[in-house]
Amino acid sequence: YQRRVRGVENLAKVYSILNKRRAKTLQEDVKSYASGIYEIKALLPAAESFGFAEELYKKTSGTATSQLVLSHWEVLDVDPNFEPRTKEELEEYGDNVGAITPNIARQYVDAVRRRKGLPVKEKLVQGANKQRTHSKKTVSY
C-alpha cells in the first residue's frame, strides 16, 4: 500500500512508526517550515498496515493523519517454510536460521493464523537449560 501521512511537527515520531513497520519512504515534502506542516509518501506492506492509524494517532497526539491507497503487489522472496536440510544449507545457514535473521514471511503467516484462531507451530521453550526454578525464600526479621 502507499501511505500518505500529513501532520504538524512530530516528524521523528512518524518516521519511527514507519521504520518499525518496514515502510520505504518515497517522498518527503515540507509545506511550511514556519508551522512545521509536512507530507510523507511511503510504501507500507499490507500486513504491517493493521493498527497503523491508531498507533500514529497515539504517538503524535492526533497531529498527524494518514491515508491508505492501494499501490501494487509485491511478492516476498523468502520461503515461509524454509528449513536447512542439505549439508550446504546447514553450512551456510546453521541449525537455527530464525536466530540469525527472522523469516518475515513466516512471521506474517503466523500472525494471520493467530488472528484467525488457527494453530501455529512455535516453540514454547527455546532452551531447557536456560530455565530455572526460583526458590521461595522467606525472610524473617
Side-chain angles (χ1 to χ4, degrees):
Y1 288 105
Q2 183 177 8
R3 180 68 75 165
R4 291 183 185 155
V5 180
R6 293 184 181 127
V8 180
E9 300 175 357
N10 295 324
L11 190 60
K13 291 181 182 179
V14 172
Y15 271 114
S16 71
I17 295 168
L18 288 172
N19 289 336
K20 182 176 110 179
R21 293 177 176 262
R22 299 181 350 104
K24 298 175 186 172
T25 304
L26 300 176
Q27 179 182 4
E28 178 187 335
D29 187 21
V30 178
K31 303 288 185 187
S32 171
Y33 286 104
S35 61
I37 299 173
Y38 59 86
E39 180 177 341
I40 301 170
K41 291 182 183 177
L43 293 178
L44 185 70
E48 300 287 347
S49 65
F50 296 108
F52 179 84
E54 292 83 15
E55 185 178 2
L56 181 69
Y57 184 79
K58 286 179 186 176
K59 297 277 179 153
T60 62
S61 302
T63 60
T65 60
S66 67
Q67 179 182 12
L68 185 66
V69 179
L70 180 62
S71 152
H72 66 282
W73 292 100
E74 189 174 321
V75 178
L76 290 174
D77 60 346
V78 181
D79 180 15
N81 298 318
F82 175 73
E83 291 180 16
R85 291 195 170 95
T86 65
K87 250 185 180 177
E88 293 81 20
E89 289 175 346
L90 285 170
E91 285 179 9
E92 185 174 348
Y93 299 109
D95 291 335
N96 193 0
V97 177
I100 302 168
T101 57
N103 187 337
I104 298 298
R106 178 83 259 158
Q107 290 176 353
Y108 288 159
V109 169
D110 289 345
V112 169
R113 292 182 69 84
R114 275 190 209 97
R115 192 171 64 239
K116 292 187 174 199
L118 299 172
V120 178
K121 286 196 290 185
E122 60 185 349
K123 292 182 180 179
L124 296 178
V125 178
Q126 295 295 328
N129 56 356
K130 291 184 181 180
Q131 292 182 350
R132 67 176 238 215
T133 306
H134 296 285
S135 63
K136 295 180 182 180
K137 294 181 180 179
T138 57
V139 178
S140 59
Y141 293 101

